[in-house]
Short mmCIF file of all heavy atoms in Angstrom, two decimals:
data_model
loop_
_atom_site.label_atom_id
_atom_site.label_comp_id
_atom_site.label_asym_id
_atom_site.label_seq_id
_atom_site.Cartn_x
_atom_site.Cartn_y
_atom_site.Cartn_z
N ILE A 848 77.50 113.38 114.92
CA ILE A 848 77.76 113.20 116.36
C ILE A 848 76.71 112.26 116.95
O ILE A 848 76.99 111.46 117.82
CB ILE A 848 77.66 114.55 117.12
CG1 ILE A 848 78.59 115.59 116.50
CG2 ILE A 848 78.00 114.37 118.60
CD1 ILE A 848 78.44 116.97 117.10
N TRP A 849 75.47 112.36 116.45
CA TRP A 849 74.34 111.65 117.04
C TRP A 849 74.10 110.25 116.51
O TRP A 849 73.67 109.38 117.27
CB TRP A 849 73.04 112.45 116.80
CG TRP A 849 73.04 113.77 117.48
CD1 TRP A 849 73.53 114.94 117.00
CD2 TRP A 849 72.53 114.05 118.79
NE1 TRP A 849 73.37 115.93 117.91
CE2 TRP A 849 72.75 115.42 119.02
CE3 TRP A 849 71.91 113.28 119.76
CZ2 TRP A 849 72.37 116.03 120.21
CZ3 TRP A 849 71.53 113.88 120.95
CH2 TRP A 849 71.76 115.25 121.17
N PRO A 852 75.93 106.91 118.25
CA PRO A 852 75.35 106.55 119.56
C PRO A 852 73.91 106.07 119.48
O PRO A 852 73.53 105.11 120.17
CB PRO A 852 75.43 107.86 120.35
CG PRO A 852 76.51 108.63 119.70
CD PRO A 852 76.48 108.26 118.26
N GLU A 855 73.86 102.65 118.15
CA GLU A 855 74.35 101.76 119.21
C GLU A 855 73.24 101.41 120.19
O GLU A 855 73.13 100.27 120.64
CB GLU A 855 75.46 102.48 120.00
CG GLU A 855 76.86 102.07 119.63
CD GLU A 855 77.88 102.81 120.46
OE1 GLU A 855 77.58 103.90 120.99
OE2 GLU A 855 79.00 102.30 120.58
N VAL A 856 72.42 102.41 120.55
CA VAL A 856 71.30 102.16 121.47
C VAL A 856 70.34 101.14 120.86
O VAL A 856 69.91 100.19 121.52
CB VAL A 856 70.58 103.48 121.82
CG1 VAL A 856 69.23 103.19 122.47
CG2 VAL A 856 71.43 104.34 122.74
N LEU A 859 71.70 97.74 121.12
CA LEU A 859 71.56 97.19 122.48
C LEU A 859 70.14 96.77 122.79
O LEU A 859 69.91 95.76 123.45
CB LEU A 859 72.02 98.23 123.52
CG LEU A 859 73.50 98.25 123.86
CD1 LEU A 859 73.76 99.33 124.92
CD2 LEU A 859 73.96 96.90 124.40
N ALA A 863 68.96 93.02 123.93
CA ALA A 863 68.09 92.64 125.04
C ALA A 863 66.94 91.75 124.53
O ALA A 863 66.64 90.72 125.13
CB ALA A 863 67.53 93.89 125.72
N GLY A 866 68.29 88.41 123.67
CA GLY A 866 68.57 87.69 124.90
C GLY A 866 67.31 87.03 125.45
O GLY A 866 67.31 85.86 125.82
N GLY A 867 66.20 87.79 125.47
CA GLY A 867 64.95 87.24 125.98
C GLY A 867 64.43 86.11 125.12
O GLY A 867 64.09 85.03 125.62
N VAL A 879 65.80 74.49 133.20
CA VAL A 879 65.89 75.40 134.35
C VAL A 879 65.04 76.66 134.16
O VAL A 879 65.21 77.65 134.86
CB VAL A 879 67.37 75.83 134.62
CG1 VAL A 879 68.16 74.65 135.15
CG2 VAL A 879 68.01 76.38 133.35
N GLY A 880 64.15 76.62 133.16
CA GLY A 880 63.30 77.79 132.92
C GLY A 880 61.86 77.44 133.15
O GLY A 880 61.47 77.00 134.23
N LEU A 881 61.06 77.61 132.08
CA LEU A 881 59.64 77.32 132.18
C LEU A 881 59.37 75.82 132.02
O LEU A 881 58.72 75.40 131.06
CB LEU A 881 58.88 78.11 131.12
CG LEU A 881 58.68 79.58 131.46
CD1 LEU A 881 58.61 80.42 130.21
CD2 LEU A 881 57.42 79.75 132.26
N HIS A 882 59.88 75.02 132.97
CA HIS A 882 59.60 73.59 132.90
C HIS A 882 58.10 73.40 133.11
O HIS A 882 57.46 74.17 133.83
CB HIS A 882 60.42 72.81 133.92
CG HIS A 882 60.41 73.41 135.29
ND1 HIS A 882 59.46 73.11 136.21
CD2 HIS A 882 61.20 74.34 135.87
CE1 HIS A 882 59.68 73.80 137.32
NE2 HIS A 882 60.73 74.56 137.14
N VAL A 884 56.07 73.78 130.66
CA VAL A 884 55.50 74.36 129.44
C VAL A 884 56.22 73.71 128.25
O VAL A 884 57.45 73.67 128.23
CB VAL A 884 55.70 75.89 129.40
CG1 VAL A 884 55.08 76.47 128.14
CG2 VAL A 884 55.13 76.53 130.64
N SER A 888 55.78 75.21 122.28
CA SER A 888 54.91 76.37 122.44
C SER A 888 55.73 77.62 122.78
O SER A 888 55.44 78.73 122.31
CB SER A 888 53.84 76.06 123.49
OG SER A 888 53.86 76.96 124.55
N LEU A 889 56.80 77.44 123.59
CA LEU A 889 57.67 78.59 123.90
C LEU A 889 58.38 79.09 122.65
O LEU A 889 58.49 80.29 122.41
CB LEU A 889 58.71 78.19 124.95
CG LEU A 889 58.25 78.10 126.40
CD1 LEU A 889 59.41 77.68 127.28
CD2 LEU A 889 57.69 79.44 126.86
N ARG A 891 57.40 78.84 119.62
CA ARG A 891 56.44 79.53 118.75
C ARG A 891 56.20 80.95 119.26
O ARG A 891 56.17 81.91 118.50
CB ARG A 891 55.12 78.74 118.73
CG ARG A 891 54.23 79.11 117.58
CD ARG A 891 52.97 78.24 117.47
NE ARG A 891 53.01 76.99 118.22
CZ ARG A 891 52.32 76.79 119.35
NH1 ARG A 891 51.57 77.74 119.88
NH2 ARG A 891 52.39 75.61 119.97
N SER A 892 56.06 81.09 120.60
CA SER A 892 55.84 82.41 121.20
C SER A 892 57.04 83.33 120.97
O SER A 892 56.88 84.53 120.76
CB SER A 892 55.64 82.26 122.71
OG SER A 892 54.33 82.57 123.07
N TRP A 896 59.50 87.59 118.19
CA TRP A 896 60.42 88.46 118.93
C TRP A 896 61.85 88.22 118.49
O TRP A 896 62.67 89.14 118.44
CB TRP A 896 60.27 88.22 120.43
CG TRP A 896 58.88 88.50 120.87
CD1 TRP A 896 57.88 87.59 121.06
CD2 TRP A 896 58.30 89.79 121.10
NE1 TRP A 896 56.73 88.23 121.41
CE2 TRP A 896 56.94 89.58 121.44
CE3 TRP A 896 58.81 91.10 121.05
CZ2 TRP A 896 56.09 90.63 121.73
CZ3 TRP A 896 57.94 92.13 121.34
CH2 TRP A 896 56.61 91.90 121.68
N ALA A 974 77.97 88.22 121.78
CA ALA A 974 77.79 89.47 122.54
C ALA A 974 79.11 89.94 123.16
O ALA A 974 79.45 91.11 123.08
CB ALA A 974 76.73 89.28 123.62
N ARG A 978 81.13 93.33 122.23
CA ARG A 978 81.50 94.40 123.17
C ARG A 978 83.01 94.65 123.07
O ARG A 978 83.48 95.77 123.19
CB ARG A 978 81.08 94.00 124.59
CG ARG A 978 81.40 94.95 125.73
CD ARG A 978 80.82 96.33 125.60
NE ARG A 978 81.74 97.25 124.95
CZ ARG A 978 81.80 98.55 125.15
NH1 ARG A 978 80.97 99.14 125.98
NH2 ARG A 978 82.65 99.31 124.51
N PHE A 982 86.64 97.89 122.68
CA PHE A 982 87.76 98.01 123.62
C PHE A 982 89.12 97.82 122.95
O PHE A 982 90.13 98.20 123.49
CB PHE A 982 87.64 96.95 124.73
CG PHE A 982 86.50 97.19 125.68
CD1 PHE A 982 85.62 96.18 126.02
CD2 PHE A 982 86.32 98.45 126.24
CE1 PHE A 982 84.59 96.40 126.90
CE2 PHE A 982 85.28 98.69 127.11
CZ PHE A 982 84.41 97.66 127.44
N PRO B 247 87.02 96.98 131.07
CA PRO B 247 86.40 96.21 129.98
C PRO B 247 85.68 94.96 130.46
O PRO B 247 84.59 94.65 129.97
CB PRO B 247 87.59 95.83 129.08
CG PRO B 247 88.65 96.79 129.41
CD PRO B 247 88.45 97.21 130.82
N GLU B 250 82.49 95.98 132.38
CA GLU B 250 81.50 96.53 131.47
C GLU B 250 80.88 95.44 130.57
O GLU B 250 79.69 95.45 130.29
CB GLU B 250 82.12 97.63 130.60
CG GLU B 250 81.04 98.40 129.86
CD GLU B 250 81.54 99.73 129.35
OE1 GLU B 250 82.61 99.77 128.72
OE2 GLU B 250 80.86 100.74 129.58
N SER B 251 81.70 94.47 130.14
CA SER B 251 81.18 93.37 129.32
C SER B 251 80.16 92.55 130.10
O SER B 251 79.11 92.18 129.57
CB SER B 251 82.31 92.46 128.85
OG SER B 251 83.22 93.19 128.06
N VAL B 254 76.94 94.48 130.29
CA VAL B 254 76.17 94.42 129.04
C VAL B 254 75.53 93.04 128.86
O VAL B 254 74.37 92.93 128.46
CB VAL B 254 77.08 94.76 127.82
CG1 VAL B 254 76.34 94.50 126.53
CG2 VAL B 254 77.53 96.20 127.89
N LEU B 255 76.30 91.97 129.18
CA LEU B 255 75.75 90.62 129.02
C LEU B 255 74.55 90.38 129.93
O LEU B 255 73.59 89.71 129.55
CB LEU B 255 76.83 89.56 129.29
CG LEU B 255 77.81 89.36 128.15
CD1 LEU B 255 78.95 88.46 128.58
CD2 LEU B 255 77.11 88.76 126.93
N ALA B 258 71.15 91.33 128.59
CA ALA B 258 70.45 90.33 127.79
C ALA B 258 69.64 89.39 128.68
O ALA B 258 68.55 88.96 128.32
CB ALA B 258 71.44 89.54 126.94
N VAL B 259 70.17 89.10 129.88
CA VAL B 259 69.46 88.22 130.81
C VAL B 259 68.33 88.98 131.49
O VAL B 259 67.16 88.60 131.41
CB VAL B 259 70.42 87.63 131.87
CG1 VAL B 259 69.66 86.73 132.83
CG2 VAL B 259 71.55 86.88 131.20
N GLY B 262 66.13 91.11 128.81
CA GLY B 262 65.54 90.16 127.88
C GLY B 262 64.40 89.38 128.52
O GLY B 262 63.30 89.30 127.97
N ALA B 274 51.02 89.37 124.62
CA ALA B 274 51.66 89.29 123.32
C ALA B 274 52.57 88.06 123.16
O ALA B 274 53.18 87.88 122.11
CB ALA B 274 52.48 90.56 123.06
N ALA B 275 52.67 87.24 124.20
CA ALA B 275 53.50 86.02 124.12
C ALA B 275 53.05 85.05 125.20
O ALA B 275 52.50 85.46 126.23
CB ALA B 275 54.98 86.37 124.30
N MET B 276 53.29 83.77 124.98
CA MET B 276 52.98 82.70 125.95
C MET B 276 51.56 82.82 126.49
O MET B 276 51.31 82.64 127.68
CB MET B 276 53.99 82.75 127.11
CG MET B 276 55.42 82.53 126.67
SD MET B 276 56.60 82.71 128.03
CE MET B 276 56.83 84.48 128.07
N GLU B 278 49.03 80.99 126.41
CA GLU B 278 48.36 79.83 127.00
C GLU B 278 48.94 79.44 128.37
O GLU B 278 48.41 78.57 129.04
CB GLU B 278 48.37 78.62 126.03
CG GLU B 278 49.72 78.16 125.58
CD GLU B 278 50.20 78.86 124.31
OE1 GLU B 278 50.15 80.10 124.21
OE2 GLU B 278 50.65 78.14 123.40
N THR B 279 50.03 80.12 128.78
CA THR B 279 50.63 79.86 130.09
C THR B 279 50.21 80.95 131.09
O THR B 279 50.38 82.14 130.78
CB THR B 279 52.18 79.84 129.99
OG1 THR B 279 52.55 79.04 128.86
CG2 THR B 279 52.81 79.26 131.24
N VAL B 284 54.60 81.84 134.50
CA VAL B 284 55.69 82.51 133.79
C VAL B 284 56.57 83.27 134.77
O VAL B 284 57.81 83.15 134.76
CB VAL B 284 55.14 83.49 132.71
CG1 VAL B 284 56.28 84.30 132.08
CG2 VAL B 284 54.39 82.71 131.63
N ARG B 287 58.70 81.12 137.30
CA ARG B 287 59.86 80.45 136.70
C ARG B 287 60.93 81.43 136.24
O ARG B 287 62.11 81.11 136.23
CB ARG B 287 59.41 79.61 135.50
CG ARG B 287 58.32 78.61 135.83
CD ARG B 287 58.89 77.29 136.33
NE ARG B 287 57.89 76.52 137.07
CZ ARG B 287 56.93 75.80 136.52
NH1 ARG B 287 56.83 75.74 135.21
NH2 ARG B 287 56.09 75.15 137.26
N TRP B 291 65.72 84.06 137.57
CA TRP B 291 66.72 84.49 136.58
C TRP B 291 66.79 86.01 136.50
O TRP B 291 67.86 86.58 136.39
CB TRP B 291 66.39 83.91 135.20
CG TRP B 291 66.60 82.44 135.17
CD1 TRP B 291 65.66 81.47 135.29
CD2 TRP B 291 67.86 81.76 135.04
NE1 TRP B 291 66.24 80.23 135.24
CE2 TRP B 291 67.59 80.38 135.09
CE3 TRP B 291 69.18 82.20 134.90
CZ2 TRP B 291 68.60 79.42 135.00
CZ3 TRP B 291 70.19 81.24 134.80
CH2 TRP B 291 69.89 79.88 134.85
N THR B 370 63.76 100.09 128.93
CA THR B 370 64.40 100.36 127.63
C THR B 370 65.04 101.75 127.63
O THR B 370 66.17 101.93 127.16
CB THR B 370 63.39 100.24 126.48
OG1 THR B 370 62.79 98.95 126.53
CG2 THR B 370 64.06 100.42 125.13
N LEU B 373 68.16 101.68 129.64
CA LEU B 373 69.24 101.07 128.83
C LEU B 373 69.83 102.12 127.87
O LEU B 373 71.04 102.27 127.75
CB LEU B 373 68.66 99.89 128.04
CG LEU B 373 69.52 99.31 126.92
CD1 LEU B 373 70.61 98.44 127.50
CD2 LEU B 373 68.67 98.48 125.97
N ALA B 374 68.93 102.84 127.20
CA ALA B 374 69.37 103.83 126.21
C ALA B 374 70.19 104.93 126.88
O ALA B 374 71.31 105.24 126.43
CB ALA B 374 68.16 104.44 125.50
N ARG B 377 73.65 103.73 127.92
CA ARG B 377 74.64 103.66 126.85
C ARG B 377 75.19 105.05 126.53
O ARG B 377 76.36 105.22 126.23
CB ARG B 377 74.02 103.04 125.58
CG ARG B 377 75.03 102.84 124.44
CD ARG B 377 76.12 101.88 124.89
NE ARG B 377 77.28 101.80 123.99
CZ ARG B 377 78.36 102.56 124.08
NH1 ARG B 377 78.44 103.53 124.97
NH2 ARG B 377 79.38 102.37 123.27
N LEU B 378 74.30 106.05 126.62
CA LEU B 378 74.69 107.41 126.23
C LEU B 378 75.58 108.11 127.27
O LEU B 378 76.16 109.14 126.99
CB LEU B 378 73.43 108.26 125.96
CG LEU B 378 72.58 107.78 124.77
CD1 LEU B 378 71.35 108.66 124.61
CD2 LEU B 378 73.39 107.78 123.47
N TYR B 381 78.92 109.32 126.26
CA TYR B 381 79.10 110.53 125.45
C TYR B 381 78.89 111.77 126.29
O TYR B 381 78.08 111.78 127.21
CB TYR B 381 78.14 110.51 124.26
CG TYR B 381 78.37 109.30 123.39
CD1 TYR B 381 77.67 108.13 123.59
CD2 TYR B 381 79.36 109.33 122.40
CE1 TYR B 381 77.90 107.01 122.83
CE2 TYR B 381 79.61 108.21 121.63
CZ TYR B 381 78.88 107.05 121.85
OH TYR B 381 79.14 105.95 121.09
N TRP B 383 78.08 115.08 125.16
CA TRP B 383 77.67 116.16 124.27
C TRP B 383 77.37 117.46 125.00
O TRP B 383 77.47 118.53 124.45
CB TRP B 383 76.40 115.73 123.51
CG TRP B 383 76.59 114.55 122.65
CD1 TRP B 383 77.67 114.26 121.88
CD2 TRP B 383 75.67 113.48 122.45
NE1 TRP B 383 77.48 113.08 121.22
CE2 TRP B 383 76.27 112.58 121.55
CE3 TRP B 383 74.39 113.20 122.95
CZ2 TRP B 383 75.62 111.42 121.12
CZ3 TRP B 383 73.76 112.05 122.53
CH2 TRP B 383 74.37 111.18 121.63
#
Side-chain angles (χ1 to χ4, degrees):
Chain A
I848 305 174
W849 295 87
E855 260 180 337
V856 166
L859 273 181
V879 290
L881 282 151
H882 47 88
V884 181
S888 122
L889 282 179
R891 198 175 343 106
S892 249
W896 301 98
R978 178 58 268 209
F982 290 133
Chain B
E250 192 162 50
S251 299
V254 172
L255 283 172
V259 179
M276 299 176 277
E278 58 270 49
T279 313
V284 173
R287 305 273 160 78
W291 290 99
T370 304
L373 167 77
R377 184 62 191 90
L378 296 179
Y381 300 92
W383 299 320

